[in-house]
Amino acid sequence: VKDDSSGELNMIAVSNPCVLDNTLAPEGFIIMHAYGAGNEPFEIWKTPTASNGNASPNTAGEGEIIGGERCSPSTYQALKDSRSKVLWRAVESVIPDARERTVLALIGSPRTHERFLRRPCGSYGAAFEDCLKDGSTPISNLVLSGDGVFPGIGIPAVALNGASAANGFVGIFDQWRCMDYLKAKGIIA
């Protein structure tokens, strides 16, 4: 891994959404979310194109497509495991025995994001050129929030723009009073 922020898989974001909402995981557990912030090359995961120029469909049971070739599910899993090592290193820099303590690990790939998040080339992380600058709309009292609104894709970014959207409806002092109330009730930490 190159020693600068522009290196391949050298900018890893790690977050624990349970800090904001401890009900996201059972008591005594947390969620660790780690991803390469838009710096995983798609070429090694690329879908080949059919003769008509459209992406070739992935036929169920035949495995994923890697580097333009269909591969077995075990080969696809091996590539995901290999490419996720840098994510594990980032998580383990915070929790050294994270792998031993992990109950469930879900490893995605750019192919996962392309398919389920409908992201071009499986992009994940900040995608400023594709984001709305804010969630405002021409419709009164309608504000958009989510991964298509600045600052973009990812749990921390979506949480931030959700808070920004809420701030558009409720002043900061009202928000603080609400937060104090929720803390007093033990609903949030």
Side-chain angles (χ1 to χ4, degrees), residues 14-33 91 94-95 98 101-105:
V14 178
S15 64
N16 171 10
C18 293
V19 169
L20 299 175
D21 182 352
N22 63 4
T23 66
L24 294 174
E27 189 171 331
F29 294 86
I30 63 170
I31 296 169
M32 292 301 293
H33 178 237
V91 171
V94 180
I95 303 172
R101 295 170 61 184
T102 297
V103 175
L104 174 66

Side-chain angles (χ1 to χ4, degrees), residues 89-142:
R89 278 197 307 272
V91 171
E92 289 169 335
S93 74
V94 180
I95 303 172
D97 60 345
R99 284 189 225 208
E100 294 79 36
R101 295 170 61 184
T102 297
V103 175
L104 174 66
L106 300 173
I107 307 295
S109 73
R111 299 272 304 151
T112 308
H113 298 147
E114 182 180 54
R115 181 174 182 190
F116 295 105
L117 302 177
R118 297 182 179 228
R119 289 283 160 221
C121 296
S123 62
Y124 199 83
F128 300 108
E129 67 277 357
D130 296 332
C131 289
L132 299 172
K133 67 178 179 66
D134 60 29
S136 62
T137 69
I139 301 169
S140 178
N141 294 323
L142 176 64

Side-chain angles (χ1 to χ4, degrees), residues 74-88:
S74 62
T75 301
Y76 176 64
Q77 185 62 48
L79 182 60
K80 288 197 316 181
D81 291 344
S82 172
R83 300 300 290 180
S84 70
K85 286 179 182 175
V86 68
L87 303 175
W88 281 110

